[in-house]
Amino acid sequence: MTALTSVVRVGIADLNIVREPNTIRTSGLGSCVGVVLYDEKKKIAGLLHVMLPDSSLGKSDKLNMAKFADTGIYALMEALKAEGVRPLSLKAKIAGGAQMFQFGSSDTIRIGPRNVEAVKKELGRLSIPIVAEDTGGSSGRTIEFDPATSILNIRTVNAGTHEI
Amino acid sequence: MSTDNPITDMHLDVLKEIGNIGAAHAATSLSQLLGRKIDMHVPNVRLVSFDEMFEMAGGSEKIVAGIYLRIEGDLSGSMFFVLPIDNANHFIRRLIGDSSFDFSQNPLPEMGVSAMQELGNILSGSYLSALSDFTGLNIYPTVPSLSVDMVGAIVSFGLIEVSQYSDEVIVINTRLHEEDEDGSSSVDGHFFLLPDPPSYLTIFRSLGVL
């Protein structure tokens, strides 16, 4: 008999973790970046939906760590450590960072590419290797990660579905 | 004023009036363009989370034709006109007289994109000129841009400004609606006006509620 599996959903500026046989998913990534950190052997993964590149952009007293690339990746790594994952065994897959519109205010212009750069910089700082990525372009993405296979499924409106 | 400060019912009522006046003008423009009656629903003004904002537009993954523009001048913010894709198809087919037109095609047919952008121009122009008259504020819209994609991917772009201040957004949501004789709806679009948080104060002051 097959075990019932469920899909953990992650909202915008949000993060969560998942163990096999369940999967984890976030939908409608535009300029936002989905960051998956996973431990291949332990079959556990975390997903973060980053909205802004750096927490220094925050103009509020309350800090939502999952909103920013720098604080979000750190918070996701801490959440995985609390589940017994060693940071050295973590790998990353990332998707998103599209340029949905060709104009905006000075703060929003190039926000997608800036998010991708910030995510890569933070992963580099933490020595977490990026195994695969699907970033840039001008299409929205819905992504789902399966910790059992370490496969990230990416669905777009204009370019179909593929796996990395 | 940031969203950390209390926004009272009176403030929301003022914003509702803005949605009312703006969308009434837009509905009139759309009626003239189509030569048919367009209904406008009572605006809905709420302080919501970003995920709730996507739900208001049909859900993060729903595929829509979204027209986006920035507002600058005395007031800054983002504005969207969001149509479900079958509505957008229906509308453009009627406007350009080509029954085979389809926004699901890739790349998007140029004729339909221009027509859709023109729709965005007309509707947002009438919405915003009414808003400008009502508040006495100078408002300059950018040229509208069209994207056919998932709600989350489109609308999140307009939340980037707000997200630097808050995890919630004030949404002035107005629904335009048209029913065919057989009861099916052929146009069911939403206007979303998302003022940048520093502009909340400007709006309230211009209308004497601060």
Side-chain angles (χ1 to χ4, degrees), chain B residues 1 10-11 200-210:
Chain B
M1 184 190 231
M10 187 177 66
H11 291 128
Y200 296 163
L201 189 70
T202 313
I203 297 175
F204 297 141
R205 194 180 279 146
S206 73
L207 295 170
V209 288
L210 200 77

Side-chain angles (χ1 to χ4, degrees), chain A residues 25 59-60 67 105 140 155, chain B residues 61 149 161 163-164 167:
Chain A
R25 168 188 175 95
K59 293 169 186 164
S60 161
K67 188 154 62 181
S105 70
R155 195 173 73 79
Chain B
E61 263 190 279
D149 213 304
E161 278 305 321
S163 70
Q164 298 173 24
D167 288 304

Side-chain angles (χ1 to χ4, degrees), chain B:
Chain B
M1 184 190 231
S2 75
T3 46
D4 296 338
N5 291 348
I7 302 272
T8 65
D9 283 351
M10 187 177 66
H11 291 128
L12 294 181
D13 278 346
V14 165
L15 297 176
K16 198 181 268 186
E17 194 51 28
I18 282 178
N20 220 345
I21 291 173
H25 281 75
T28 307
S29 302
L30 189 58
S31 291
Q32 285 167 352
L33 196 65
L34 294 173
R36 307 171 74 130
K37 187 173 174 293
I38 302 289
D39 294 319
M40 189 196 78
H41 292 243
V42 176
N44 170 348
V45 179
R46 287 166 63 199
L47 181 64
V48 295
S49 72
F50 299 154
D51 284 316
E52 284 168 333
M53 158 93 226
F54 299 153
E55 290 306 315
M56 289 169 85
S60 180
E61 263 190 279
K62 188 179 167 82
I63 298 167
V64 293
I67 293 166
Y68 165 70
L69 58 103
R70 281 287 300 168
I71 303 162
E72 277 143 27
D74 294 339
L75 191 67
S76 67
S78 295
M79 187 171 186
F80 290 94
F81 182 60
V82 174
L83 273 177
I85 192 148
D86 49 338
N87 280 191
N89 283 339
H90 188 91
F91 177 84
I92 297 300
R93 280 172 196 159
R94 198 153 60 188
L95 200 66
I96 66 178
D98 175 0
S99 61
S100 68
F101 178 80
D102 192 348
F103 272 115
S104 309
Q105 283 168 307
N106 193 19
L108 290 175
E110 209 167 302
M111 181 69 152
V113 172
S114 315
M116 199 67 199
Q117 270 166 346
E118 188 50 25
L119 168 73
N121 242 331
I122 292 168
L123 295 185
S124 58
S126 45
Y127 189 117
L128 293 172
S129 66
L131 173 58
S132 175
D133 289 348
F134 181 56
T135 57
L137 297 171
N138 290 313
I139 300 166
Y140 310 106
T142 61
V143 173
S145 182
L146 171 73
S147 175
V148 176
D149 213 304
M150 303 175 199
V151 161
I154 291 176
V155 175
S156 61
F157 200 74
L159 296 174
I160 297 299
E161 278 305 321
V162 180
S163 70
Q164 298 173 24
Y165 295 88
S166 171
D167 288 304
E168 289 180 313
V169 57
I170 292 182
V171 183
I172 305 171
N173 172 16
T174 320
R175 182 166 161 237
L176 298 182
H177 184 77
E178 181 206 32
E179 272 186 13
D180 282 342
E181 289 84 11
D182 62 2
S184 66
S185 60
S186 50
V187 175
D188 187 5
H190 287 263
F191 273 108
F192 296 105
L193 181 61
L194 314 171
D196 293 344
S199 290
Y200 296 163
L201 189 70
T202 313
I203 297 175
F204 297 141
R205 194 180 279 146
S206 73
L207 295 170
V209 288
L210 200 77

